[in-house]
Amino acid sequence: VVYAGPVLASAAYKWKIAPSTAQSPYLGDPWSKMIIHRVKINGGEKWVGFMGAGHNLSNVTICAGDPTAGDCDKRGKGIFAIDLSNGNVLWAVTHLTDANMEYAFPGSPALLDLDLDGFTETMYIGDMGGSMWRVRMCTATDDNSCNTANWTVSRLFQPTGALAGRPIYTMPAA
């Protein structure tokens, strides 16, 4: 069999993740796989890569209290949405913007299209402290002004007692 189709171009390096100066300390070792899907932003379609901020295996200390404190190990403590057209951080939440994010996010997120319109509007991801987090994005019923400023993040579950501190390394099953 002889392939008679067009010659495929070589793969080309397009971009690297471009976090802001405030976001970059929160990117740790890249354990999380980037999960790709499309979202609605201002009524339009955008392809986005979602990921946990990673991990720092050499230092698993929490960032309790003041997120700007010098003794806080920031690496991995956040969730990122990357614009796949250019590598820019489209949206992020880190320990700096949510002081409850005291642990790293090494696992991959689970993305859901609950209203079956072809766009992701819900994400779940776990952290090293055993907590489960939910991110809500624009839905089909939102108007065309809905954008990343309307996205919300909340902790759904925080373990206590014997379950406290049991890390989540994997993608949640949804």
Side-chain angles (χ1 to χ4, degrees), residues 31-121:
W31 286 26
S32 178
K33 290 182 181 176
M34 185 178 283
I35 306 300
I36 297 171
H37 209 275
R38 63 187 187 149
V39 295
K40 277 191 176 182
I41 296 178
N42 294 324
E45 171 184 306
K46 180 158 294 280
W47 284 92
V48 177
F50 294 93
M51 62 183 224
H55 188 36
N56 175 20
L57 192 56
S58 65
N59 186 350
V60 193
T61 60
I62 66 168
C63 286
D66 182 6
T68 61
D71 62 347
C72 176
D73 178 19
K74 297 171 177 69
R75 292 172 288 179
K77 294 172 176 70
I79 305 166
F80 286 79
I82 308 300
D83 184 338
L84 295 180
S85 67
N86 56 21
N88 290 336
V89 175
L90 184 66
W91 176 87
V93 62
T94 66
H95 182 62
L96 184 63
T97 54
D98 186 335
N100 291 318
M101 290 188 167
E102 298 173 337
Y103 295 92
F105 289 81
S108 299
L111 303 178
L112 296 163
D113 175 12
L114 297 173
D115 57 11
L116 304 176
D117 67 347
F119 295 91
T120 290
E121 69 274 330

Side-chain angles (χ1 to χ4, degrees), residues 2-43:
V2 176
Y3 177 71
V7 177
L8 300 175
S10 297
Y13 180 77
K14 296 290 186 183
W15 50 260
K16 64 180 181 177
I17 296 174
S20 70
T21 304
Q23 295 165 339
S24 61
Y26 293 92
L27 286 169
D29 295 338
W31 286 26
S32 178
K33 290 182 181 176
M34 185 178 283
I35 306 300
I36 297 171
H37 209 275
R38 63 187 187 149
V39 295
K40 277 191 176 182
I41 296 178
N42 294 324

